Amino acid sequence: MKIAVCVKQVPDTWAEKKLQAGDSTLDREAAEGVLNELDEYAVEEALRIGEAHGGEVVVVSMGPERAAETVRKALSMGADAGIHLVDDALHGSDAVATSAALATVLEGRSFDLIIFGSESTDARMSVVPAMVAERLVLPQVTFAQKVEIDGSTVRIERQMEYGFDTVEASLPAVVSVVEKINEPRYPSFKGIMAAKKKPVEILSVADIGLDPATVGLGAAWSVVDDFAARPPKAAGMVVADEGEGGSRIADYLVDQKFI
Amino acid sequence: MSEILVLVEHADGQVKKVTFELLTLARALGTPSAVWLGIGASDAALASLGEYGAEKVYVVDSADMDDFLVAPKAEALARLMADSSAAAVLLPSTAEGKEIAGRVAVKAGSGIITDAVGVAADFTATQSVFGGSTVVTSRVSNGTPLITVRPNSTAPVPSPGAAARVDVAADISDAAKSARVVGRTVASKGGRPDLSEAAIVVSGGRGVGGAEGFGVVEALADSLGAAVGASRAATDAGWYPHQYQVGQTGKTVSPQLYIANGISGAIQHRAGMQTSKTIVVVNKDPEAPIFELADFGVVGDLFAVVPQLTEEIAKRKA
Ligand SMILES: Cc1cc2nc3c(=O)[nH]c(=O)nc-3n(C[C@H](O)[C@H](O)[C@H](O)COP(=O)(O)OP(=O)(O)OC[C@H]3O[C@@H](n4cnc5c(N)ncnc54)[C@H](O)[C@@H]3O)c2cc1C
């Protein structure tokens, strides 16, 4: 079994995120870059499937130079090899271009499973896995809270508002996982040392045969015209409960016509 | 006026409220046509779409839409988009709505904007990003704009439309029928509204203290006809099912009223509820950051305040 797990470096969720004046892209230097938390579940799931069924786990990441740390993090968790697509031309790519670049990297490498986290904590669009499935004409089995491999079949529980759907497809397939699925492992000291020696293939846009004019900010099919800090909310009223707190909220709700 | 396609969100033959919101928005952009993918498009359902201004209702009456994941819907919608030469497509910003939009964007060569909270007449969309701290206006610069809109972003306003039914053949490719839905498991939610659609959400956090503690949260929710939400601390502890988590890695909700009980207001929680119109807070710690968002807050023990509130609501409704 050959498994790809796609990961993204994002600003630490605790850090304040800002768009940059000029090109309205995320200021990635302003905050420490970390492995997207939801991708940790994807890495963990890839490792578990690899351990249970035998096989190789390859981390794939598109991102600036420093996203190399993110690839290393996944390697230190136990992935076998990495692919880092890094090119200035990719800066500001939208989801459409990102999915094209990832699909181009993944295509022809005969992966049985391509696993993603269900969204990135910075862009929060949750569309790249579906787009990659569309481009590679592979079954899309996304938002999995459980993944089972049975021979050449993958079966997932797709998290739904009302519970879950059970969905089946033949391999190869594109999977995305939600955080409920597992408990990601911490890299061990041994893992961290071993990661330093694991192979990472560095690819540029030219290496994968993509036209640089089709990616990056200039090629984005959606553009940010403007952004502003949300105006601060007018201070509300806060009272201490002196035995009538519940009743005071009820008064407020009547006042606001909720009751 | 140009045609605006609105993807209908429906379950068990019933149209979901978000669809009426999208139709209301679409009327300001052009002539709304609803798109019904799947079985169950009854006359009553069509009539309800007409009440909110749908002039046409395209119906792709095919079980393939529900028997296979996402790809058939994307294929049908992309074809309709090409055949109708629509000026824009609005979809609900749900997990599936976004995935459909993503696939259609790739097929049609169109730009996509997700999680819009508003759309102007020139199709520029407003989004609230980074946990609600930043408001962005953006627009699609290539192809037919595909815009997913968050539930509860607009109040649905009725305005009659003809709702003329136009049946469209499904004709779905085999490639799109590759992920088969083989089972559906419905976790009971006691008849409460869907979290992402609900007009009122009552949430509990670590302060609720345990699974039993959610009883007071649920009782309050039921007194208001609200959905129940939870912080990650509560879902991680197994006190409440994960699909009810609100926040960065859970649901994003934007109800008319959000009541946070025993929740501190971590940035990741705010990311999922900050755009709520009115926020009420119950927390025993006056320093809890959630109070910064409160329109009305009570510093106190939720086990005293919340049951009293539930009782008062019952009294006042009587
Ligand atoms: C990448 C990432 C993603 C995350 N995603 C999410 C997410 O989607 N959603 C989310 O919610 N969190 C998320 N978190 C976790 C988040 O950082 C917080 O840990 C979490 O929101 C805290 O939950 P809480 O407010 O219930 O608990 P706490 O922070 O422990 O707050 C409990 C509050 O309850 C109050 N309290 C206690 N007892 C009572 C009582 N009897 N009466 C009244 N008040 C009482 C306390 O004063 C306190 O303010 C994420 C974290 C990370 C790193």
Side-chain angles (χ1 to χ4, degrees):
Chain A
M1 171 102 54
K2 207 174 159 199
I3 306 167
V5 54
C6 297
V7 303
K8 182 180 183 187
Q9 187 179 53
V10 298
D12 191 349
T13 33
W14 295 97
E16 200 182 329
K17 290 186 267 290
K18 283 205 158 64
L19 295 176
Q20 341 190 62
D23 69 358
S24 301
T25 60
L26 183 60
D27 186 354
R28 294 187 186 273
E29 298 301 320
E32 200 194 332
V34 297
L35 170 58
N36 174 37
E37 203 220 10
L38 287 157
D39 294 343
E40 289 185 25
Y41 300 88
V43 174
E44 178 64 35
E45 201 57 25
L47 294 175
R48 288 187 191 191
I49 294 170
E51 284 155 10
H53 300 272
E56 191 193 9
V57 175
V58 180
V59 194
V60 179
S61 191
M62 162 176 149
E65 295 288 344
R66 67 177 191 161
E69 301 154 22
T70 297
V71 174
R72 284 288 160 210
K73 166 95 187 268
L75 293 174
S76 68
M77 287 171 74
D80 300 295
I83 299 175
H84 183 187
L85 177 62
V86 47
D87 201 310
D88 289 343
L90 294 165
H91 170 78
S93 291
D94 63 1
V96 178
T98 301
S99 70
L102 286 175
T104 310
V105 171
L106 294 163
E107 199 165 18
R109 289 178 187 256
S110 51
F111 287 112
D112 300 292
L113 268 181
I114 299 169
I115 306 185
F116 289 85
S118 56
E119 73 176 30
S120 61
T121 57
D122 55 351
R124 302 201 63 200
M125 289 181 70
S126 284
V127 294
V128 170
M131 287 175 161
V132 168
E134 172 72 35
R135 290 185 185 279
L136 296 177
V137 199
L138 291 179
Q140 169 199 333
V141 283
T142 44
F143 291 96
Q145 58 178 31
K146 189 172 173 195
V147 179
E148 278 170 358
I149 307 291
D150 186 355
S152 62
T153 302
V154 53
R155 186 176 310 109
I156 69 146
E157 288 179 9
R158 173 173 167 92
Q159 184 179 298
M160 302 294 287
E161 185 97 41
Y162 49 74
F164 63 86
D165 283 352
T166 307
V167 186
E168 261 180 26
S170 300
L171 299 179
V174 173
V175 173
S176 80
V177 302
V178 299
E179 61 178 358
K180 185 184 183 177
I181 195 163
N182 58 40
E183 197 56 60
R185 65 194 72 183
Y186 288 102
S188 64
F189 179 70
K190 225 176 104 206
I192 294 169
M193 296 315 287
K196 298 191 171 144
K197 299 198 196 70
K198 289 178 177 169
V200 178
E201 200 180 335
I202 312 279
L203 297 175
S204 68
V205 163
D207 291 335
I208 60 169
L210 210 60
D211 178 358
T214 62
V215 293
L217 191 61
W221 291 350
S222 52
V223 294
V224 171
D225 283 332
D226 198 10
F227 64 88
R230 185 186 174 80
K233 214 176 152 142
M237 165 126 126
V238 177
V239 300
D241 178 34
E242 276 154 8
E244 47 13 298
S247 156
R248 294 196 60 180
I249 297 176
D251 291 340
Y252 176 78
L253 296 182
V254 168
D255 202 46
Q256 300 291 314
K257 306 206 165 36
F258 286 112
I259 306 175
Chain B
M1 283 239 275
S2 45
E3 185 172 15
I4 309 294
L5 297 183
V6 169
L7 182 66
V8 177
E9 176 102 341
H10 59 91
D12 308 320
Q14 298 285 330
V15 179
K16 299 275 194 124
K17 189 179 81 176
V18 64
T19 312
F20 304 133
E21 298 167 6
L22 296 183
L23 286 169
T24 303
L25 260 179
R27 293 200 314 257
L29 310 176
T31 308
S33 293
V35 178
W36 184 295
L37 303 179
I39 56 173
S42 63
D43 290 348
L46 259 64
S48 71
L49 295 167
E51 267 173 57
Y52 288 86
E55 290 299 336
K56 278 187 204 162
V57 183
Y58 295 105
V59 179
V60 184
D61 185 31
S62 158
D64 289 344
M65 300 295 148
D66 293 309
D67 291 351
F68 301 93
L69 220 59
V70 183
K73 288 183 177 160
E75 200 171 291
L77 183 60
R79 199 173 312 134
L80 262 171
M81 203 168 119
D83 293 348
S84 66
S85 61
V89 184
L90 303 185
L91 306 92
S93 222
T94 55
E96 191 188 73
K98 293 204 270 188
E99 291 190 324
I100 295 170
R103 296 188 74 127
V104 173
V106 169
K107 283 179 195 291
S110 282
I112 167 176
I113 291 174
T114 58
D115 287 298
V117 293
V119 185
D122 62 354
F123 303 132
T124 54
T126 321
Q127 292 161 292
S128 167
V129 303
F130 306 152
S133 66
T134 306
V135 179
V136 171
T137 38
S138 47
R139 94 194 117 80
V140 166
S141 53
N142 198 70
T144 309
L146 288 155
I147 303 175
T148 77
V149 182
R150 269 194 200 157
N152 284 315
S153 297
T154 326
V157 180
S159 166
R165 180 175 179 132
V166 182
D167 279 289
V168 180
D171 208 7
I172 298 303
S173 69
D174 287 341
K177 293 192 269 192
S178 58
R180 180 184 287 276
V181 180
V182 295
R184 181 148 296 175
T185 306
V186 179
S188 121
K189 54 171 180 144
R192 295 195 186 96
D194 282 351
L195 181 54
S196 40
E197 279 216 330
I200 304 180
V201 175
V202 178
S203 281
R206 201 194 307 274
V208 168
E212 326 73 59
F214 264 89
V216 300
V217 174
E218 289 185 328
L220 174 56
D222 292 339
S223 75
L224 289 163
V228 174
S231 75
R232 178 156 166 192
T235 58
D236 271 359
W239 301 346
Y240 219 69
H242 183 269
Q243 66 259 36
Y244 299 102
Q245 181 177 314
V246 170
Q248 168 132 43
T249 48
K251 296 263 151 54
T252 300
V253 300
S254 198
Q256 300 298 321
L257 172 64
Y258 187 88
I259 308 184
N261 304 290
I263 292 176
S264 63
I267 184 161
Q268 296 89 353
H269 187 77
R270 290 172 176 223
M273 47 67 73
Q274 192 148 12
T275 53
S276 305
K277 311 291 175 299
T278 300
I279 297 171
V280 170
V281 170
V282 180
N283 194 304
K284 66 180 182 190
D285 173 11
E287 304 296 325
I290 189 86
F291 281 116
E292 293 163 18
L293 299 180
D295 295 286
F296 192 83
V298 171
V299 180
D301 185 345
L302 73 91
F303 290 101
V305 176
V306 174
Q308 183 181 66
L309 172 56
T310 307
E311 210 173 287
E312 285 293 326
I313 290 168
K315 268 194 218 155
R316 286 164 208 233
K317 279 193 168 168

